[in-house]
Amino acid sequence: MEYRLLGHSGLKVSVLSLGTMTFGGQGKFAKTGQTDVGAARRQIGLCLDAGINLFDTADVYSGGESEVILGKALGSKRHDVLVASKARFPMGEGPNDRGSSRHHILRACEASLKRLNTDYLDLYQLHEWDGLTPLEETLRALDDLVSSGKVRYVGVSNFSAWHIMKTLGVAQTNHYIRPVSQQIHYTLQAREAEYELLPVAQDQGLGVLVWSPLAGGLLSGKYRRNQAAPEGTRHLADWGEPPVRDESALYDVVDVLVDIAEARGVSAAQIALAWLIARPQVTSVIVGARNDAQLQDNLLAANLTLNNEEIERLNKVSQLPLLYPYWHQAQTAPDRLSSADLSLIAPYLKK
């Protein structure tokens, strides 16, 4: 297992980490999985044996049950690993039971610590942007959590690039704790993060944690062109996260994934994960699984290295159109682009 620094910090995390949205299986999260404590212990054991050191959860997953199960399953191993959680989404019916206000963040952190049966979080992340709460208020609350020893590092998730830059600017101006990472959705099926989120991560020294790296199973190889979806799985018409805007383009990607996987004698899921691990801005890819077999398959991706030809095939079939102002920059300013600019634009420049 390879370990990478989490952004501009001294903390090293494994290139694969375990996401625990499947833990609990309550309410709307039942469709993602129903992993109980016993199954969670087995999955955590598999991860530890593979070298994974980061376990990611959130208070909203199954109404807090994911945190409870993770805490019980880790047990005495808690201090040997890194635990990340998040807050922002509703945890009650009251008007202040959501958002990134000081009131909610402090209460949410205390509740997460209790559910996880731990006295600190290694990484505490804002789960989504809150456009109503002043960033000074949010960052001061996070700063206090770090000063009190309840949180070691902070991060953000599902922010836009301007949200991130505003957050970093407010943190620097007020000498508050600076986020070290962003958690984002990024796959061969959805490469929008390359427009702004990955360049800002490279430019500002942010770690990148990738959630739902198989696009909710779309890139697992189970869904094929002109074939019925496997029994018990969703249909593309029901897919909301991530949205499938071009079904034909999705299947073009899957065709290449399956072709490379069959030639390698591995699963399409492993190829999709290996492509992400090889992306230069990505720090860790968060995998989750309904069962042990899926997890064991995903874990093998940590030791899978794609060759240049395979990467180029995947890049080409999934490449995004170059939007404005990027096509204009590519045409008029190729001699004055930074490495962060080129992380997006370089493949489009005429050789």
Side-chain angles (χ1 to χ4, degrees):
M1 181 68 66
E2 179 188 353
Y3 300 90
R4 297 172 180 173
L5 288 171
L6 185 62
H8 192 62
S9 80
L11 189 69
K12 285 194 171 184
V13 301
S14 47
V15 294
L16 287 179
S17 46
L18 182 68
T20 63
M21 186 185 289
T22 59
F23 288 12
Q26 296 187 11
K28 66 180 181 180
F29 292 94
K31 64 183 180 182
T32 66
Q34 297 180 324
T35 304
D36 60 16
V37 176
R41 285 199 180 103
R42 290 197 306 274
Q43 291 192 5
I44 287 171
L46 292 171
C47 289
L48 294 175
D49 289 344
I52 282 180
N53 73 342
L54 176 61
F55 297 85
D56 181 79
T57 186
D59 59 0
V60 75
Y61 296 164
S62 290
E65 189 64 17
S66 171
E67 290 181 321
V68 172
I69 292 175
L70 177 60
K72 289 180 179 179
L74 282 174
S76 62
K77 299 182 179 68
R78 191 276 170 259
H79 298 293
D80 299 325
V81 301
L82 305 173
V83 174
S85 193
K86 317 177 197 71
R88 157 64 174 84
F89 290 117
M91 289 298 289
E93 298 300 323
N96 292 307
D97 291 334
R98 67 193 68 201
S100 299
S101 67
R102 179 180 182 84
H103 174 87
H104 182 64
I105 290 295
L106 296 183
R107 290 184 64 189
C109 184
E110 293 288 354
S112 288
L113 292 174
K114 184 176 181 179
R115 285 190 291 265
L116 284 159
N117 192 30
T118 185
D119 53 5
Y120 69 95
L121 291 168
D122 297 283
L123 178 65
Y124 199 39
Q125 302 156 103
L126 300 175
H127 207 163
E128 176 62 272
W129 173 252
D130 178 354
L132 299 182
T133 303
L135 274 168
E136 290 83 357
E137 178 179 339
T138 301
L139 290 172
R140 176 59 190 270
L142 292 174
D143 201 68
D144 287 347
L145 287 172
V146 173
S147 296
S148 67
K150 295 175 181 178
V151 169
R152 300 279 172 85
Y153 298 90
V154 301
V156 299
S157 180
N158 304 310
F159 277 33
S160 69
W162 78 263
H163 294 154
I164 290 172
M165 288 306 299
K166 184 173 182 179
T167 301
L168 295 176
V170 170
Q172 180 175 344
T173 299
N174 294 279
H175 305 288
Y176 293 147
I177 189 69
R178 184 184 193 271
V180 299
S181 63
Q182 59 170 327
Q183 189 173 140
I184 64 173
H185 182 61
Y186 176 44
T187 72
L188 279 162
Q189 186 266 344
R191 293 176 61 179
E192 299 95 334
E194 294 177 8
Y195 288 127
E196 293 279 347
L197 294 177
L198 295 184
V200 80
Q202 182 170 332
D203 185 70
Q204 296 296 312
L206 289 173
V208 174
L209 308 175
V210 177
W211 61 265
S212 194
L214 298 178
L218 289 175
L219 303 178
S220 65
K222 294 185 297 185
Y223 299 88
R224 301 299 306 277
R225 196 190 313 267
N226 300 323
Q227 294 182 17
E231 186 176 352
T233 60
R234 291 177 289 171
H235 296 278
L236 295 189
D238 303 323
W239 226 281
E241 189 178 281
V244 179
R245 298 187 177 93
D246 188 335
E247 188 173 326
S248 178
L250 165 66
Y251 287 130
D252 289 343
V253 172
V254 173
D255 288 344
V256 176
L257 278 172
V258 171
D259 188 53
I260 295 174
E262 289 178 347
R264 284 287 197 113
V266 300
S267 68
Q270 289 180 41
I271 299 297
L273 294 171
W275 180 85
L276 276 172
I277 292 171
R279 304 304 286 174
Q281 295 90 357
V282 170
T283 309
S284 185
V285 177
I286 303 170
V287 298
R290 291 173 178 266
N291 54 60
D292 294 357
Q294 286 182 358
L295 180 58
Q296 288 172 317
D297 181 80
N298 288 176
L299 292 175
L300 294 174
N303 300 315
L304 181 62
T305 301
L306 301 179
N307 61 43
N308 291 336
E309 181 183 358
E310 292 166 334
I311 291 173
E312 182 57 31
R313 288 182 64 192
L314 292 167
N315 288 346
K316 184 177 180 181
V317 74
S318 62
Q319 191 172 53
L320 295 168
L322 201 59
L323 302 178
Y324 176 82
Y326 312 113
W327 60 258
H328 196 273
Q329 294 167 1
Q331 291 179 14
T332 65
D335 60 327
R336 302 288 289 181
L337 298 177
S338 70
S339 60
D341 296 317
L342 290 170
S343 70
L344 168 67
I345 295 175
Y348 302 87
L349 296 177
K350 294 180 180 180
K351 297 180 180 179

